[in-house]
Amino acid sequence: GVFLIATAAFGGLADAEKPGPAVIALGDTFTSPQLSLTVREVVLVDSLDDLSVEIAPGERAIAVIATVDNEWNKPQLAATLSSGVGDVIALQAANNHRDAAALLTIARIDDPETSPTLQPGVPVPLAFVWSIPAEALGAGDEVTVELFTQKLYTGSVTVSGQWWTDPALTAVMTLPVTSRESLTMRGSGVEAAP
């Protein structure tokens, strides 16, 4: 009783402020139980012909290039419209928020291959690709990359299997945008990052 009266005199039992997402820098590794992801750069490209992906007229592609390592003990499909790997990243660019639902593709850029399967413990260079209005950004402009941690869900009774879900914003980073002719390692003049 005395504790509650004393607490009420000083404003009551207020909720503690929840900490915001961690701020990380280019080259820092974001690690979750699902995967590790090290952002290498954010690039603009006018064509995804090397990946056989079309960009709508008046748009260009923006891609977050990252080295991704599957930390789970099972292979994971990195594909659009498939919950899991695509849900760990989003992009705030030129007042437009791009999340998993807006992804054009997820591509392995050293192969090149779209919708790759990530094997446990094998780091691969991936591009998470969205489209934006062609004039929205230029080289040197900044964007914010958002990284999410997900929970592993195990189905029971009517649904079986396991999958990652419930993304929670865990880290953010602000990066300058560069420009390239190609996303893939072939013809880009860029060597694969470890």
Side-chain angles (χ1 to χ4, degrees):
V2 173
F3 172 75
L4 289 177
I5 293 170
T7 303
F10 293 101
L13 295 171
D15 291 336
E17 196 172 311
K18 293 181 180 178
V23 176
I24 62 175
L26 180 66
D28 287 350
T29 299
F30 168 77
T31 302
S32 72
Q34 181 183 5
L35 53 80
S36 296
L37 186 145
T38 306
V39 174
R40 301 293 177 195
E41 65 180 321
V42 179
V43 298
L44 291 167
V45 293
D46 292 319
S47 171
L48 296 174
D49 291 347
D50 50 346
L51 298 172
S52 299
V53 174
E54 289 189 32
I55 303 171
E59 302 268 311
R60 60 192 313 206
I62 185 166
V64 175
I65 308 293
T67 302
V68 180
D69 194 349
N70 178 4
E71 298 290 339
W72 195 25
N73 61 2
K74 296 179 182 177
Q76 295 188 65
L77 179 64
T80 58
L81 304 176
S82 172
S83 66
V85 175
D87 293 319
V88 302
I89 192 165
L91 185 69
Q92 183 68 41
N95 297 319
N96 292 295
H97 190 260
R98 301 289 192 254
D99 60 13
L103 277 166
L104 288 179
T105 191
I106 301 172
R108 186 170 173 162
I109 59 174
D110 62 342
D111 217 357
E113 172 188 9
T114 57
S115 303
T117 298
L118 307 180
Q119 298 300 324
V122 180
V124 295
L126 293 183
F128 296 86
V129 186
W130 297 268
S131 66
I132 59 168
E135 303 302 319
L137 287 173
D141 290 342
E142 290 190 335
V143 298
T144 300
V145 176
E146 299 172 333
L147 302 168
F148 297 81
T149 299
Q150 298 192 99
K151 296 177 185 173
L152 181 62
Y153 182 80
T154 301
S156 60
V157 185
T158 60
V159 179
S160 64
Q162 291 183 305
W163 58 92
W164 295 93
T165 189
D166 296 331
L169 182 61
T170 308
V172 295
M173 60 189 339
T174 300
L175 303 170
V177 175
T178 61
S179 187
R180 277 198 207 168
E181 288 184 27
S182 171
L183 275 184
T184 62
M185 299 301 180
R186 296 181 205 159
S188 70
V190 176
E191 296 299 318

